[in-house]
């Protein structure tokens, strides 16, 4: 029995290869307005394994504040825990923050702090400062602006 999801490609040695796509499942459940529980999983047909499992739980107090905690697990690579919070200052402005902790290295590997602005009922703009550490390739402090169109 062969999975239906299959793709073919040419590798670096110019040889014709055939692999099976991985299946991604993103599911969440909100049994109450103030609670959401979810998971994101990646399944490999070819290796009969689950190389990635992410879980989270979010608690909300109306539109005033929220707290999310979760896990990020990549087999043989990464086991992290994270928390993110938001607090509404007004209907238009919100403080946001998030932290990632790496269990393997016992270090805080990512921090993000920002101000979210809602413009009308269409746009969200985040002004953020973030710090990433623990990886020599990605160690940095950065300042950014993220723009999101609501309803898409």
């Amino acid at each position: 029995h062969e999975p239906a999801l299959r793709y073919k490609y040419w590798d670096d040695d110019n040889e014709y290869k055939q692999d099976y796509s991985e299946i991604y499942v993103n599911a969440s459940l909100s049994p109450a307005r103030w609670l959401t529980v979810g998971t994101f999983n990646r399944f490999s047909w070819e290796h009969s394994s689950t190389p990635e499992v992410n879980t989270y739980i979010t608690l909300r107090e109306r539109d005033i504040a929220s707290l999310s905690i979760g896990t990020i697990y990549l087999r043989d690579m990464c086991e992290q825990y994270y928390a993110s919070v938001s607090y509404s200052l007004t209907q238009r402005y919100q403080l946001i923050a998030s932290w990632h902790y790496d269990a393997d290295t016992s270090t805080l590997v990512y921090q993000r702090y920002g101000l979210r602005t809602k413009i009308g009922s269409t746009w969200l703009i985040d002004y953020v400062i973030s710090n990433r550490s623990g990886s020599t390739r990605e160690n940095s402090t950065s300042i950014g602006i993220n723009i999101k169109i609501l309803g898409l």
Side-chain angles (χ1 to χ4, degrees):
H1 165 281
E2 276 189 36
L5 300 170
R6 191 169 56 188
Y7 61 95
K8 300 173 183 177
Y9 63 94
W10 293 92
D11 68 3
D12 292 336
D13 297 325
N14 227 11
E15 292 182 23
Y16 187 67
K17 298 282 185 176
Q18 179 173 309
D19 273 332
Y20 298 99
S21 294
E22 294 180 326
I23 303 295
Y24 295 85
V25 176
N26 189 9
S28 65
L29 177 65
S30 293
R33 270 190 89 212
W34 53 271
L35 175 66
T36 302
V37 178
T39 184
F40 172 83
N41 296 314
R42 179 167 48 111
F43 300 101
S44 172
W45 283 104
E46 194 168 2
H47 300 103
S48 299
S49 66
T50 307
E52 181 175 5
V53 178
N54 302 321
T55 60
Y56 66 90
I57 183 168
T58 300
L59 304 170
R60 283 187 187 78
E61 176 60 33
R62 292 178 278 151
D63 293 331
I64 299 170
S66 70
L67 166 67
S68 294
I69 55 174
T71 63
I72 300 169
Y73 173 75
L74 296 172
R75 185 176 34 134
D76 300 330
M77 291 180 63
C78 167
E79 184 176 342
Q80 292 184 357
Y81 302 94
Y82 70 89
S84 65
V85 295
S86 68
Y87 180 77
S88 294
L89 300 170
T90 66
Q91 284 187 336
R92 186 174 175 186
Y93 295 103
Q94 191 176 54
L95 294 175
I96 56 174
S98 62
W99 305 269
H100 287 230
Y101 175 81
D102 191 305
D104 295 330
T105 62
S106 299
T107 56
L108 193 61
V109 293
Y110 181 70
Q111 300 175 65
R112 181 177 181 230
Y113 305 95
L115 177 68
R116 175 172 288 154
T117 304
K118 185 175 183 181
I119 299 176
S121 59
T122 310
W123 301 88
L124 284 180
I125 301 176
D126 292 349
Y127 305 94
V128 296
I129 184 166
S130 61
N131 185 344
R132 190 178 298 270
S133 62
S135 168
T136 56
R137 190 180 83 184
E138 295 180 359
N139 285 348
S140 68
T141 298
S142 61
I143 297 173
I145 297 175
N146 300 322
I147 300 171
K148 182 178 180 180
I149 300 173
L150 298 175
L152 292 181

